[in-house]
Amino acid sequence: MWQYEKKLQYPVKIANPNPKLAQLIITQYGGPDGELGASLRYLSQRYSMPYAEVKGLLTDIGTEELAHLEMICAMVHQLTRNLSEEEIKGTPFANYFVDHTTGVYPVAASSVPWRAEYIASKGDIITDLHEDLAAEQKARTTYDNLIRMVDDPDVLDPLRFLRQRELNHYQRFGEALRLTSDRLNEKNFYSFNPSFDKHCNK
Amino acid sequence: MAMKERIYAYDFAIVEMNLYLDTHPEDKDALCLFHQYQEKREQLIEAYEAQFGPYISNVNDVQGDKFTWICDPWPWEYSKEV
């Protein structure tokens, strides 16, 4: 189960609304490498993990990703608060506004709605951990791209925090992959599914 | 640093130690640090509650006749305060 804590993992305090930035940042909610996909990816994969450390890691990182999507949604919400029609007309945010007003909906910066195809849950620990390592790097690249587009320090600060978390998660997934391969017959690393074919353990 | 910010900093340190311990469950130094952070966090919450009343992220906040859990601001809302 989960329990809600009435706080953000890291503060989001954006003094100046900016709908153009909201339209870019929302991609880390509903985009291909966003936090919504990250949480569902890890929380789905954990059921087929054969090792306790990796069950724990996917549960805990998946949970942290929920806190991250909340931060992204808070950024989008604060960047679009108290807008007048004049501040929206003629901006790229107008297209989003027509569909969702200033409600928060999971879409990519390119306006494609969130899709389950962004994630994988293959029922194979080695396959899934490689997916997770790639996912953390793709998210890091996306944060780098966002940081290039932003000069408001109120927006940069939480983006830099979230970027750093991708690096820490990458490190932990790398350790999970090493823990996994240490338990396998080294002749068989990539020719069996350790989540299903039990004979490939040492 | 405001007392609530210090509590949040320990919350974060505990999350980070938790992830490290997932992949290093027998690291004695890390376990010791994890316990230290937890103790420090509890002390800060006690000190906070003695000074300001119920700590915001406790679920069962009731003050007098009101269920204060629903009180604004919610975490995503803009406010200058922590």
Side-chain angles (χ1 to χ4, degrees), chain A residues 69-94:
Chain A
L69 75 84
E70 184 184 33
M71 282 177 62
I72 293 291
C73 293
M75 294 174 81
V76 170
H77 167 70
Q78 291 183 23
L79 286 165
T80 56
R81 74 188 191 276
N82 303 327
L83 294 178
S84 66
E85 289 171 22
E86 292 310 314
E87 288 169 303
I88 295 166
K89 274 183 198 165
T91 73
F93 180 71

Short mmCIF file of all heavy atoms in Angstrom, two decimals, chain A residues 69-94:
data_model
loop_
_atom_site.label_atom_id
_atom_site.label_comp_id
_atom_site.label_asym_id
_atom_site.label_seq_id
_atom_site.Cartn_x
_atom_site.Cartn_y
_atom_site.Cartn_z
N LEU A 69 6.85 12.67 -10.31
CA LEU A 69 5.78 13.14 -11.20
C LEU A 69 4.94 14.20 -10.49
O LEU A 69 4.44 15.13 -11.12
CB LEU A 69 4.96 11.98 -11.79
CG LEU A 69 3.92 11.22 -10.98
CD1 LEU A 69 2.58 11.94 -10.96
CD2 LEU A 69 3.73 9.85 -11.61
N GLU A 70 4.84 14.09 -9.18
CA GLU A 70 4.13 15.13 -8.42
C GLU A 70 4.87 16.47 -8.53
O GLU A 70 4.25 17.53 -8.67
CB GLU A 70 4.00 14.71 -6.96
CG GLU A 70 3.18 15.69 -6.13
CD GLU A 70 3.10 15.34 -4.67
OE1 GLU A 70 4.08 14.79 -4.13
OE2 GLU A 70 2.07 15.63 -4.04
N MET A 71 6.21 16.44 -8.47
CA MET A 71 6.99 17.68 -8.62
C MET A 71 6.80 18.29 -10.01
O MET A 71 6.65 19.51 -10.16
CB MET A 71 8.48 17.41 -8.39
CG MET A 71 8.88 17.27 -6.94
SD MET A 71 10.65 16.88 -6.80
CE MET A 71 11.39 18.34 -7.53
N ILE A 72 6.83 17.43 -11.04
CA ILE A 72 6.64 17.93 -12.41
C ILE A 72 5.25 18.55 -12.56
O ILE A 72 5.09 19.64 -13.12
CB ILE A 72 6.84 16.78 -13.45
CG1 ILE A 72 8.31 16.33 -13.47
CG2 ILE A 72 6.38 17.19 -14.84
CD1 ILE A 72 9.28 17.35 -14.04
N CYS A 73 4.23 17.85 -12.03
CA CYS A 73 2.86 18.39 -12.11
C CYS A 73 2.76 19.71 -11.36
O CYS A 73 2.08 20.64 -11.80
CB CYS A 73 1.85 17.38 -11.56
SG CYS A 73 1.72 15.91 -12.58
N ALA A 74 3.45 19.81 -10.21
CA ALA A 74 3.44 21.07 -9.44
C ALA A 74 4.07 22.19 -10.27
O ALA A 74 3.59 23.33 -10.27
CB ALA A 74 4.20 20.88 -8.12
N MET A 75 5.15 21.86 -11.00
CA MET A 75 5.79 22.87 -11.85
C MET A 75 4.83 23.33 -12.95
O MET A 75 4.68 24.53 -13.20
CB MET A 75 7.08 22.31 -12.47
CG MET A 75 8.16 22.03 -11.44
SD MET A 75 9.62 21.22 -12.15
CE MET A 75 10.44 22.64 -12.82
N VAL A 76 4.18 22.36 -13.61
CA VAL A 76 3.24 22.70 -14.69
C VAL A 76 2.10 23.55 -14.12
O VAL A 76 1.72 24.58 -14.69
CB VAL A 76 2.70 21.41 -15.36
CG1 VAL A 76 1.54 21.72 -16.30
CG2 VAL A 76 3.83 20.68 -16.09
N HIS A 77 1.59 23.14 -12.97
CA HIS A 77 0.48 23.88 -12.34
C HIS A 77 0.91 25.32 -12.00
O HIS A 77 0.19 26.27 -12.31
CB HIS A 77 0.04 23.15 -11.07
CG HIS A 77 -0.86 23.97 -10.20
ND1 HIS A 77 -2.14 24.29 -10.55
CD2 HIS A 77 -0.62 24.59 -9.01
CE1 HIS A 77 -2.67 25.05 -9.60
NE2 HIS A 77 -1.77 25.25 -8.66
N GLN A 78 2.08 25.47 -11.40
CA GLN A 78 2.51 26.82 -11.00
C GLN A 78 2.84 27.69 -12.21
O GLN A 78 2.63 28.90 -12.19
CB GLN A 78 3.70 26.74 -10.03
CG GLN A 78 3.28 26.15 -8.68
CD GLN A 78 4.42 26.12 -7.66
OE1 GLN A 78 5.39 26.87 -7.76
NE2 GLN A 78 4.29 25.24 -6.68
N LEU A 79 3.35 27.08 -13.27
CA LEU A 79 3.68 27.85 -14.49
C LEU A 79 2.43 28.30 -15.25
O LEU A 79 2.52 29.18 -16.12
CB LEU A 79 4.58 27.02 -15.41
CG LEU A 79 6.04 26.86 -14.96
CD1 LEU A 79 6.73 25.74 -15.74
CD2 LEU A 79 6.82 28.16 -15.11
N THR A 80 1.27 27.68 -14.95
CA THR A 80 0.04 28.03 -15.70
C THR A 80 -1.03 28.64 -14.78
O THR A 80 -2.19 28.73 -15.17
CB THR A 80 -0.56 26.78 -16.39
OG1 THR A 80 -0.80 25.75 -15.41
CG2 THR A 80 0.38 26.23 -17.45
N ARG A 81 -0.63 29.04 -13.56
CA ARG A 81 -1.65 29.57 -12.65
C ARG A 81 -1.97 31.04 -12.99
O ARG A 81 -1.12 31.75 -13.51
CB ARG A 81 -1.21 29.43 -11.20
CG ARG A 81 -0.13 30.41 -10.77
CD ARG A 81 0.38 30.05 -9.37
NE ARG A 81 1.23 31.09 -8.82
CZ ARG A 81 2.54 31.21 -9.06
NH1 ARG A 81 3.13 30.35 -9.89
NH2 ARG A 81 3.23 32.19 -8.52
N ASN A 82 -3.20 31.44 -12.68
CA ASN A 82 -3.66 32.83 -12.82
C ASN A 82 -3.37 33.43 -14.20
O ASN A 82 -3.00 34.60 -14.30
CB ASN A 82 -2.98 33.73 -11.77
CG ASN A 82 -3.22 33.22 -10.36
OD1 ASN A 82 -4.28 32.67 -10.08
ND2 ASN A 82 -2.24 33.40 -9.47
N LEU A 83 -3.54 32.66 -15.26
CA LEU A 83 -3.29 33.21 -16.61
C LEU A 83 -4.54 33.91 -17.13
O LEU A 83 -5.66 33.48 -16.87
CB LEU A 83 -2.92 32.08 -17.58
CG LEU A 83 -1.61 31.33 -17.35
CD1 LEU A 83 -1.46 30.22 -18.39
CD2 LEU A 83 -0.42 32.29 -17.41
N SER A 84 -4.32 34.97 -17.90
CA SER A 84 -5.44 35.61 -18.60
C SER A 84 -5.50 35.03 -20.02
O SER A 84 -4.53 34.43 -20.50
CB SER A 84 -5.21 37.11 -18.67
OG SER A 84 -4.09 37.37 -19.49
N GLU A 85 -6.63 35.22 -20.68
CA GLU A 85 -6.75 34.75 -22.07
C GLU A 85 -5.65 35.38 -22.94
O GLU A 85 -5.09 34.71 -23.82
CB GLU A 85 -8.13 35.10 -22.63
CG GLU A 85 -9.24 34.25 -22.01
CD GLU A 85 -10.63 34.72 -22.40
OE1 GLU A 85 -10.76 35.41 -23.44
OE2 GLU A 85 -11.58 34.42 -21.65
N GLU A 86 -5.35 36.65 -22.67
CA GLU A 86 -4.35 37.35 -23.49
C GLU A 86 -2.96 36.71 -23.36
O GLU A 86 -2.18 36.72 -24.31
CB GLU A 86 -4.27 38.84 -23.09
CG GLU A 86 -5.51 39.64 -23.44
CD GLU A 86 -5.97 39.43 -24.89
OE1 GLU A 86 -5.10 39.48 -25.79
OE2 GLU A 86 -7.17 39.18 -25.10
N GLU A 87 -2.67 36.18 -22.16
CA GLU A 87 -1.35 35.56 -21.96
C GLU A 87 -1.24 34.20 -22.65
O GLU A 87 -0.15 33.65 -22.77
CB GLU A 87 -1.08 35.39 -20.45
CG GLU A 87 -0.81 36.72 -19.74
CD GLU A 87 -0.82 36.57 -18.23
OE1 GLU A 87 -1.84 36.11 -17.67
OE2 GLU A 87 0.20 36.91 -17.61
N ILE A 88 -2.38 33.65 -23.08
CA ILE A 88 -2.40 32.33 -23.71
C ILE A 88 -2.48 32.43 -25.24
O ILE A 88 -1.80 31.69 -25.96
CB ILE A 88 -3.58 31.51 -23.16
CG1 ILE A 88 -3.37 31.25 -21.65
CG2 ILE A 88 -3.74 30.18 -23.90
CD1 ILE A 88 -4.60 30.76 -20.93
N LYS A 89 -3.31 33.37 -25.71
CA LYS A 89 -3.52 33.53 -27.17
C LYS A 89 -2.19 33.69 -27.90
O LYS A 89 -1.33 34.46 -27.48
CB LYS A 89 -4.36 34.78 -27.45
CG LYS A 89 -5.84 34.55 -27.39
CD LYS A 89 -6.60 35.82 -27.76
CE LYS A 89 -8.05 35.73 -27.28
NZ LYS A 89 -8.71 37.03 -27.29
N GLY A 90 -2.04 32.95 -29.00
CA GLY A 90 -0.86 33.11 -29.84
C GLY A 90 0.39 32.44 -29.31
O GLY A 90 1.45 32.51 -29.93
N THR A 91 0.32 31.75 -28.14
CA THR A 91 1.49 31.02 -27.64
C THR A 91 1.32 29.53 -27.98
O THR A 91 0.19 29.08 -28.27
CB THR A 91 1.64 31.13 -26.10
OG1 THR A 91 0.62 30.33 -25.49
CG2 THR A 91 1.54 32.56 -25.63
N PRO A 92 2.41 28.76 -27.93
CA PRO A 92 2.27 27.32 -28.20
C PRO A 92 1.36 26.63 -27.18
O PRO A 92 0.82 25.56 -27.45
CB PRO A 92 3.71 26.79 -28.07
CG PRO A 92 4.60 27.99 -28.05
CD PRO A 92 3.78 29.16 -27.63
N PHE A 93 1.17 27.24 -26.00
CA PHE A 93 0.33 26.64 -24.96
C PHE A 93 -1.16 26.69 -25.34
O PHE A 93 -1.96 25.94 -24.79
CB PHE A 93 0.57 27.36 -23.63
CG PHE A 93 -0.24 26.83 -22.48
CD1 PHE A 93 0.05 25.58 -21.94
CD2 PHE A 93 -1.30 27.55 -21.96
CE1 PHE A 93 -0.70 25.07 -20.89
CE2 PHE A 93 -2.07 27.06 -20.91
CZ PHE A 93 -1.77 25.81 -20.36
N ALA A 94 -1.52 27.55 -26.31
CA ALA A 94 -2.93 27.70 -26.68
C ALA A 94 -3.54 26.36 -27.12
O ALA A 94 -4.69 26.06 -26.81
CB ALA A 94 -3.08 28.75 -27.78
#
